[in-house]
Amino acid sequence: DIQMTQSPSSLSASVGDRVTITCRASQSISTYLHWYQQKPGKAPKLLIYSASSLQSGVPSRFSGSGSGTDFTLTISSLQPEDFATYYCQQSYSTPYIFGQGTKLEIK
Amino acid sequence: QVQLQESGPGLMKPSQTLSLTCTVSGDSISSGSYYWSWIRQPAGKGLEWIGRIYTRGATNFNPSLKSRVTISVDTSKNQLSLKLSSVTAADSAVYYCARCDYYDSSGLDVWGQGTTVTVSS
């Protein structure tokens, strides 16, 4: 199985900050990497697909980059509604594997 | 707009077989080329992919659960189903169904709201 290592596991930041979350795959996955946001009690929401494509309706302050094994999710200017848990997920091969999550908290 | 809605028993006893249904609305489950997945999330923990089924029947499973999982599609009811046998407390989780495109390139773009399953004697 392909393993996904996400970092950091938690992060404290302020409204307006620029934040970066990283995800590393145990082998090359090309750009079969997706990012999700999950708020308490809710289903995950797709933010970025294929490493860098913004899902329809997602604010442009979210962006993704990377290919191969190393990927990043960047939020350019944090808004109050962005405080949530973020997951990466590979779809290069089954089983799909999610990163362990990054909990983004208000400083 | 496609919407997914999971339903299930809520509370179960150990050793029973879990049966969940995901009802698709807003489009036919057999239109387009999609995989339909089941994912679960134990309370306070991360996401675990269980398995998927292609609209035309092919399946893939997480090896960690493969021996206990069955996934099927009922096109007449526009539903997909999950069966998980011999459940234990470790199977307690929120269970989600979700959709992704056949080429695995678009991510899991549509999710149900999830259904909570608790296994307890």
Side-chain angles (χ1 to χ4, degrees), chain A residues 69-87:
Chain A
T69 60
D70 293 317
F71 302 86
T72 60
L73 171 70
T74 299
I75 309 172
S76 60
S77 178
L78 275 173
Q79 299 302 300
E81 60 268 29
D82 299 337
F83 292 94
T85 300
Y86 293 84
Y87 294 94

Side-chain angles (χ1 to χ4, degrees), chain B residues 77-99:
Chain B
K77 295 182 178 179
N78 227 32
Q79 292 178 336
L80 70 152
S81 298
L82 168 71
K83 292 188 186 298
L84 180 66
S85 64
S86 303
V87 298
T88 69
D91 295 310
S92 297
V94 177
Y95 285 74
Y96 297 101
C97 55
R99 182 188 82 169

Side-chain angles (χ1 to χ4, degrees), chain A residues 13-61:
Chain A
S14 301
V15 173
D17 284 354
R18 180 183 180 90
V19 167
T20 298
I21 299 169
T22 65
C23 187
R24 174 167 289 176
S26 60
Q27 66 182 73
S28 177
I29 57 171
S30 183
T31 58
Y32 288 87
L33 189 283
H34 319 292
W35 291 97
Y36 302 86
Q37 176 193 66
Q38 187 178 32
K39 296 182 178 179
K42 300 294 187 183
K45 172 188 173 183
L46 179 66
L47 299 176
I48 301 288
Y49 64 94
S50 293
S52 60
S53 297
L54 192 67
Q55 177 69 356
S56 176
V58 174
S60 59
R61 63 181 179 273

